[in-house]
Amino acid sequence: MSRIVDLSYPIEPHWRHTFFNELIVHENFEYKEGDYGRYWHDAYIHINSHAFTHLDAPLHFTPGAKSLDQMPLETWAGRAVIVDLSYKKDDEGITAEDLEKQGQKIQRGDIAIMMTRFDERCSIKERRFWQHFPYMERSACEWLVGRGIKAYGVDFPPDYSTRYFVSEKPERAIPDQEEFTTHFAFLPREIGIIEYLCNLGALRRDVVQLYALPLKIIGLDGCPARVIAVED
């Protein structure tokens, strides 16, 4: 029997402005005359397209590039290789040498998932999560490009420059585009990005079927997603 593992964060209030979300629930309103039933329960959700566990499309980084609805659904589903990088320390870069040792199962057309289990060491609600995390170095990104992956996912803020936005004394107020290392390497090549996965430590296998489907909304550059892994 297949086993399903949820790799998604719950969406709830968060102090980061890019994670801003609001849930408004309406209930016990009467239907108009002629409608079936008498009462209804309805909700309006206001949320950033890059909040919590979410997907990035090329449009997120390049004007005029493909939005999520223009990308093949196959980008977000299929064989995924879990690369065990749980030995990486906070503030330590992930290099091509790491992937050369740990990522040999990755094949062309795979989804590559970087597992540091950082979410087990630090809550996504803590400021430290955004300031002292493992991060992807350019050499690691290019190594994955060379393997021919179709998508990539992480359980940590992938780019070193992310910390600039939450630091009280930022090293650089506005990072250069190239400092968003994973975005610069993957999105112009139409390699999908799956950000802020969690619970990867619950997986029992290093090769799974992964499903990370976005809502079918026209023109989005990103979208929160319910990401699951299926183990046979």
Side-chain angles (χ1 to χ4, degrees), residues 18-124:
T18 51
F19 271 33
F20 174 79
N21 61 87
E22 184 178 12
L23 173 66
I24 303 173
V25 177
H26 300 272
E27 56 187 331
N28 292 334
F29 284 8
E30 289 190 19
Y31 278 99
K32 295 179 181 178
E33 185 177 353
D35 286 345
Y36 293 104
R38 187 178 178 189
Y39 299 103
W40 64 330
H41 188 290
D42 200 1
Y44 297 90
I45 301 172
H46 178 198
I47 189 167
N48 188 283
S49 59
H50 297 272
F52 294 91
T53 306
H54 69 272
L55 314 180
D56 285 357
L59 181 61
H60 179 45
F61 206 64
T62 305
K66 288 183 178 180
S67 56
L68 277 176
D69 59 287
Q70 294 171 328
M71 297 184 71
L73 278 178
E74 289 80 6
T75 303
W76 311 110
R79 184 179 188 267
V81 175
I82 313 302
V83 182
D84 188 353
L85 300 164
S86 55
Y87 60 89
K88 302 302 288 189
K89 299 176 182 177
D90 299 356
D91 295 315
E92 185 177 1
I94 295 165
T95 66
E97 288 75 18
D98 290 312
L99 300 186
E100 187 67 28
K101 294 176 183 177
Q102 302 295 109
Q104 287 300 323
K105 289 188 178 181
I106 297 173
Q107 302 173 6
R108 181 167 296 277
D110 280 349
I111 301 171
I113 302 296
M114 309 293 104
M115 179 183 72
T116 64
R117 302 180 70 165
F118 183 60
D119 61 302
E120 298 177 20
R121 306 199 297 268
C122 184
S123 168
I124 198 171

Side-chain angles (χ1 to χ4, degrees), residues 13 72 79 122 125 175 215 227 230:
R79 184 179 188 267
C122 184
K125 296 181 181 180
L215 295 175
V227 183
V230 180

